[in-house]
Amino acid sequence: MFKIGDFSRIARVSCRLLRYYDERGLLKPAIVDRESGYRFYGAAQLPQLNRILVLKELGLTLDQIGRAISKTVSADELRAMLLIRRSDVEQALAAEAERLRLIETRISQIESTGQLSADDVLIRSEPARSVLTARQTVRSFAEARGAIQQLIASVPRQTPQHALGPVIAIAHSTEFEPDSIDLEFGFALNDGLARTGLSVGGIDLTVHELPIVKHMAVCVRIGLPEHAHVVTAKIGQFVEDNGYVLAGPSREVFLHAPQPDRMDIAVIEMQYPVESVR
Amino acid sequence: MFKIGDFSRIARVSCRLLRYYDERGLLKPAIVDRESGYRFYGAAQLPQLNRILVLKELGLTLDQIGRAISKTVSADELRAMLLIRRSDVEQALAAEAERLRLIETRISQIESTGQLSADDVLIRSEPARSVLTARQTVRSFAEARGAIQQLIASVPRQTPQHALGPVIAIAHSTEFEPDSIDLEFGFALNDGLARTGLSVGGIDLTVHELPIVKHMAVCVRIGLPEHAHVVTAKIGQFVEDNGYVLAGPSREVFLHAPQPDRMDIAVIEMQYPVESVR
DNA sequence: TTGCTCCTCACGTCACGTGAGGTGGC
DNA sequence: TTGCTCCTCACGTCACGTGAGGTGGC
C-alpha cells in the first residue's frame, strides 16, 4: 500500500493527476480511508496507471481512455477507436505541415522584403451560392461598369429586396484580351429565390448556382478601381509564394453596392480560386 | 459602415469572435454607439481582420497577434516571433509523427494478436540520480539476492532512513553469461547525502551518480522473480515493434523493499534504456 | 510544538460557442 | 404587435496546475 505521495513519486505523476483520475473514475485507489479521505494505492494500480498513460500518449481523451480500459470493450472496438485516432492524427499532421510552410513563407518574405507583405491575403473555402447574373462579352471595363450600374438601378425594383445579396462579377476570360472580356455579373442571392430569371434593358439575367470553391485566395480592396492591380499583384505574389496555382474564374464581390459618384469608398473582395501544387 | 451582423457575414466570422476581439483590443469597431452599445465597422476594418486571421492561421496566440499588429513592432521582432513559432511547429510536427507511429504499432498489434499487448510499457525520461551501490560479479541470481538481502538488513541501520530510496539493481553484463553476472546493486538516494561510502559485511558501497536517461522503457512487474522473463519479453517486443534498440545497462527498481518471505508481493520496475533507430 | 502529508474546494487556462434575458428599430 | 438584430453577462470546454485553508500523525 502506498499513500498518494509515495505512489505519485513512484509513478512520476502529480498527486493532482491521481486525484483527478480518481474523480473521473479512471483509477480508483485500492482503499480510501473512510474518515480521513486518505487514498491508498496498491501495487496492482501501477500497471493500470501506466496503461492509462500509454493511451494518453496516443492522444486519446480521458473519456475514450475510460472506455478503452473498461472490461466490456472488445479488441475490435479498441481497434476502431485507434483507427479513428489515426486518421485524426494524420489530418493534424498535414495541417501542421501546411502551417509550417505558411510560416516559412512569411519568414522568407520578411527576410527578402524587410516587412510582412500580403499579410491580408487569406485562403478560405467558399460555399456554393445562387446568383442572378448575365454573361456578356464586353469590350472594356467601362462598358462593364455601365452595364452593372444599369442592373443596380433596375433589378432591385423588380426583385424582393431581402433576396438580393451583394453585386458580383466573374471573369471568365482565360486569357487577357483588352477588348474582349467574357464577363458574368449580377447579384448573389440570399436564399432559394423562386424566380428563374428576368430581363432589364436588354440584359437577360438567369439564376444558377456557383460551385463550391475549396481554396479561394481572397483579399479586400478599398477605393478606386485603379487600386485593383495592386491587390491583384498581391494575390499573385501570395499564390506564387505559397505554392498554389490559379484554378478557375476569379470573382469580385462588391461588399458595398458601387455608387458611381463615390468609387473611393468601394469595398470589393477579390476572389481567386487556387489549387495547391504541393 | 457595417453593423456587426453584416460585417460578420462579409468576413465570415462569428459575431462572438468580433466582440471578443473588441474586448481583447485586437480589432476595435470604427464607431461604438454611446447609448446602445452597437458596434459599427468600417471597410478599413476588413483587411485588419484578415491580417489577424492570417496570423491566427500561423498559430500565433491572440496575445502574440496583438503585439504583431501593433504599430511599434519592427520587422525584426516579427521575424523573431515567427522563428520561435517555426521551431515550435517543427517540434509539434515531430511529436505528431511519433504519435502516429505509436498508434500504428498498436493497431497492427491488435490486428495480429487480437488484443492490445504490452499496453503498460511506456517510455519516459529518467533524471540523473545519486545511488549508494556496490558492483560485483556474481555467479547466480540467487547469490545476488543473498547479497541484496544482506544490504537491506544492514545498511538502514548505518544511514539516515530518510536518505535511502528504493533498492536498485543494475545489470552491466552486455552478454548473457549465466555464471558471471556483472551486477551493481544498492540504494537510490533521496538527496545529496554527504557520506561517500560505507562497507557492510565485506561489501564496499560507494556513492555515485547514475546518468540521465532520455528514453527509458519501463514496465512494472509484480510478484515472484519467475515473472521477470514475461515482463522482459514484453519490453523486448515493445522495443522491437516501436523501432527502438537497447542502449545501456538495464535497471530493476524495487518499489517495495524485497522481503524474502513475501516475494509474491514484490513490486519491481524494470527499466531498459533505449534509443530510437528512426 | 514544528514540519510534513493529506484533504477538499475553487480559480485559471485559451479562444471562443452557446444560451439566457433584455432592449431598440422597422 | 411581431420578428429581427443588437447588447451584456455567464457558463462550458479539457486536463489538469496552483494556491487557499484546514486537518491528522510523527
Side-chain angles (χ1 to χ4, degrees):
Chain A
M1 282 302 138
F2 304 97
K3 286 202 285 184
I4 196 169
D6 294 326
F7 193 67
S8 84
R9 263 183 294 277
I10 287 169
R12 285 155 230 241
V13 297
S14 70
C15 292
R16 175 66 171 115
L17 180 145
L18 291 172
R19 294 198 188 99
Y20 184 59
Y21 285 4
D22 180 8
E23 185 191 328
R24 292 282 306 248
L26 279 181
L27 184 71
K28 293 285 182 192
I31 293 174
V32 178
D33 187 284
R34 266 292 171 201
E35 51 179 325
S36 70
Y38 275 35
R39 295 169 178 82
F40 294 93
Y41 291 87
Q45 251 76 50
L46 201 45
Q48 285 176 30
L49 176 57
N50 284 346
R51 196 162 293 141
I52 292 171
L53 297 178
V54 162
L55 293 172
K56 192 160 66 117
E57 267 175 33
L58 302 187
L60 297 184
T61 67
L62 296 191
D63 256 14
Q64 294 172 320
I65 293 175
R67 263 170 280 146
I69 62 177
S70 78
K71 277 109 202 161
T72 62
V73 82
S74 71
D76 255 8
E77 288 170 289
L78 204 53
R79 177 167 162 273
M81 287 177 59
L82 291 182
L83 288 175
I84 292 171
R85 186 84 256 278
R86 177 172 66 178
S87 82
D88 287 353
V89 172
E90 280 167 354
Q91 280 207 357
L93 205 55
E96 285 293 292
E98 174 65 12
R99 202 193 288 280
L100 186 57
R101 267 198 27 219
L102 288 175
I103 293 171
E104 289 181 335
T105 304
R106 302 291 177 173
I107 289 174
S108 54
Q109 253 178 36
I110 290 184
E111 289 178 346
S112 65
T113 70
Q115 60 179 353
L116 197 53
S117 54
D119 58 349
D120 51 357
V121 176
L122 55 79
I123 304 285
R124 70 167 175 234
S125 74
E126 277 288 309
R129 188 159 199 192
S130 293
V131 290
L132 174 68
T133 54
R135 182 162 172 179
Q136 291 189 346
T137 300
V138 297
R139 270 175 303 273
S140 72
F141 284 110
E143 184 185 334
R145 276 201 290 277
I148 290 173
Q149 290 300 339
Q150 193 180 342
L151 289 189
I152 292 171
S154 319
V155 173
R157 285 201 300 265
Q158 301 181 42
T159 308
Q161 185 70 27
H162 68 271
L164 287 183
V167 170
I168 187 168
I170 304 167
H172 287 284
S173 306
T174 52
E175 290 174 27
F176 181 68
E177 295 182 50
D179 56 356
S180 165
I181 306 162
D182 181 1
L183 197 68
E184 178 181 346
F185 54 95
F187 294 85
L189 295 176
N190 286 333
D191 47 27
L193 186 68
R195 69 185 311 161
T196 52
L198 88 174
S199 186
V200 283
I203 304 175
D204 293 323
L205 296 161
T206 57
V207 171
H208 70 113
E209 186 153 296
L210 293 185
I212 188 174
V213 176
K214 279 204 180 153
H215 302 285
M216 186 76 97
V218 310
C219 185
V220 174
R221 100 177 132 87
I222 297 170
L224 297 169
E226 288 72 44
H227 190 52
H229 73 273
V230 175
V231 173
T232 309
K234 222 181 202 180
I235 293 181
Q237 187 70 48
F238 176 89
V239 164
E240 186 184 316
D241 286 347
N242 290 280
Y244 291 106
V245 289
L246 297 180
S250 69
R251 307 176 185 174
E252 293 197 5
V253 180
F254 295 71
L255 300 179
H256 268 160
Q259 299 166 284
D261 52 335
R262 293 300 309 276
M263 281 310 261
D264 58 323
I265 59 155
V267 181
I268 298 169
E269 185 171 274
M270 307 189 66
Q271 304 183 335
Y272 289 80
V274 295
E275 266 173 17
S276 175
V277 290
R278 211 127 294 274
Chain B
M1 281 301 138
F2 303 97
K3 286 202 285 186
I4 196 169
D6 294 326
F7 193 67
S8 84
R9 265 183 294 277
I10 288 169
R12 285 153 230 243
V13 297
S14 69
C15 292
R16 176 64 171 116
L17 180 145
L18 291 173
R19 294 196 188 100
Y20 184 59
Y21 286 5
D22 180 10
E23 185 190 328
R24 292 282 305 248
L26 280 180
L27 184 71
K28 293 284 183 192
I31 294 174
V32 178
D33 187 283
R34 266 291 170 202
E35 50 180 326
S36 69
Y38 275 35
R39 295 169 177 82
F40 295 93
Y41 292 86
Q45 251 76 51
L46 201 45
Q48 287 176 29
L49 176 57
N50 283 347
R51 196 161 293 141
I52 292 171
L53 297 178
V54 162
L55 293 171
K56 192 160 65 118
E57 267 175 33
L58 301 186
L60 297 184
T61 66
L62 295 192
D63 256 13
Q64 295 173 319
I65 293 175
R67 262 170 281 146
I69 63 177
S70 78
K71 277 109 202 161
T72 62
V73 81
S74 71
D76 256 9
E77 289 170 289
L78 204 53
R79 177 168 162 273
M81 287 177 60
L82 292 182
L83 289 175
I84 292 171
R85 187 83 258 276
R86 176 172 68 179
S87 83
D88 287 354
V89 172
E90 278 167 354
Q91 280 207 357
L93 205 55
E96 284 294 292
E98 174 65 12
R99 202 193 287 279
L100 186 57
R101 268 199 26 219
L102 288 175
I103 293 171
E104 289 182 334
T105 305
R106 303 292 177 173
I107 290 174
S108 54
Q109 252 179 38
I110 291 182
E111 289 178 347
S112 66
T113 70
Q115 61 180 354
L116 196 54
S117 55
D119 58 350
D120 51 358
V121 176
L122 55 80
I123 304 285
R124 68 165 176 237
S125 75
E126 278 286 311
R129 190 161 197 189
S130 292
V131 290
L132 174 68
T133 54
R135 183 163 172 178
Q136 290 189 346
T137 299
V138 297
R139 271 175 302 274
S140 74
F141 283 110
E143 184 184 336
R145 276 201 291 278
I148 290 173
Q149 289 301 340
Q150 193 180 341
L151 288 190
I152 291 171
S154 320
V155 173
R157 284 201 301 263
Q158 301 180 41
T159 307
Q161 185 70 27
H162 68 272
L164 287 183
V167 170
I168 187 169
I170 303 168
H172 286 283
S173 307
T174 53
E175 289 175 28
F176 182 68
E177 294 182 51
D179 55 357
S180 165
I181 305 162
D182 180 0
L183 197 67
E184 176 181 346
F185 54 94
F187 293 85
L189 295 175
N190 285 333
D191 47 27
L193 186 67
R195 68 185 311 162
T196 53
L198 87 176
S199 187
V200 283
I203 304 176
D204 293 324
L205 295 163
T206 56
V207 171
H208 71 114
E209 186 153 298
L210 293 185
I212 188 175
V213 176
K214 277 204 180 156
H215 301 285
M216 187 76 98
V218 310
C219 186
V220 173
R221 98 177 133 87
I222 297 169
L224 297 169
E226 288 72 43
H227 189 52
H229 73 273
V230 175
V231 173
T232 308
K234 224 182 202 179
I235 292 182
Q237 187 70 49
F238 177 88
V239 164
E240 186 184 316
D241 286 347
N242 289 282
Y244 290 106
V245 289
L246 297 179
S250 69
R251 309 176 184 174
E252 293 197 6
V253 179
F254 295 70
L255 300 180
H256 267 160
Q259 299 166 283
D261 51 337
R262 293 300 310 276
M263 280 311 259
D264 58 324
I265 59 155
V267 181
I268 298 168
E269 186 171 274
M270 308 190 64
Q271 303 183 337
Y272 288 79
V274 295
E275 266 173 20
S276 175
V277 290
R278 211 127 295 272

